[in-house]
Amino acid sequence: KAPPKPAARCAPAATPPQLDGVLDDACWQENAPLSLASEDDDDPAGVIRLAYDDEYLYFAVSCPQLSGASYVRDLRPRAHDGAAPRHDLVRLRLDADRDYATWFALAVDSRGWTADACWDDAAWNPAWYVAAAAPVDRPDAAWVVEAAIPWAELADVAPRAGDAWAVAIDRQTPAADPQGWPASPAGAEGPQQFGLLLFE
């Protein structure tokens, strides 16, 4: 029976991806990508991939660069909660118990800088790992980020095959309309913002 919400399938990674900003790992090829939609179909869509194993949730971002956003490489030590939408940012929200009231939010921008919060509390500071590809100065280029989020930061135990979490992903940039998965009406709040992440 099909779930009542849009569903994304998350397949196990037989081999962990190498976090290097290059999406050539087997786990990324085995998982169907999620496309981030916007109200303006002319905006180039970002693509998200998810995979998991017993220790980590793996998360990959590939988004076309947009005129009007900054894509400079920043080699300074990353400031905590330093991710900024002016650099083009993707946010992953995870609701493990599907109460649609509290969730984890993990954001990463095109530089690989991050921000995180639990129930809008930015004092939650999980340890997670991010690699960003060097920006490419070319009109058709995409910015690429790979991340590994330890399950120990999100839940008492890692999900098993058959489990389902609520998930919402959005892209914020000054250069285009917001994009998201699942697509939801403008201004939608609560359960309408989320789909299901089905662990295989």
Side-chain angles (χ1 to χ4, degrees), residues 51-126:
Y52 79 109
D53 61 20
D54 290 341
E55 293 188 69
Y56 296 98
L57 174 66
Y58 301 107
F59 177 53
V61 177
S62 177
C63 288
Q65 294 180 179
L66 301 169
S67 175
S70 172
Y71 296 102
V72 297
R73 192 168 195 185
D74 195 331
L75 298 178
R76 294 175 298 167
R78 293 172 182 166
H80 191 75
D81 287 337
R86 71 178 179 277
H87 292 285
D88 206 345
L89 175 149
V90 168
R91 180 179 58 158
L92 172 69
R93 286 178 289 167
L94 296 165
D95 185 348
D97 61 5
R98 304 198 311 276
D99 66 356
Y100 302 104
T102 60
W103 49 75
F104 302 107
L106 301 108
V108 62
D109 68 23
S110 56
R111 303 168 298 166
W113 288 43
T114 63
D116 33 62
C118 177
W119 200 10
D120 292 329
D121 181 3
W124 179 62
N125 296 324

Side-chain angles (χ1 to χ4, degrees), residues 17-23 25 28 58-62 73-75 78 107-114 128-135 142-149:
Q18 182 176 348
L19 300 187
D20 55 8
V22 180
L23 305 185
D25 306 276
W28 301 138
Y58 301 107
F59 177 53
V61 177
S62 177
R73 192 168 195 185
D74 195 331
L75 298 178
R78 293 172 182 166
V108 62
D109 68 23
S110 56
R111 303 168 298 166
W113 288 43
T114 63
W128 52 303
Y129 310 98
V130 175
W143 63 270
V144 178
V145 167
E146 289 179 288
I149 307 162

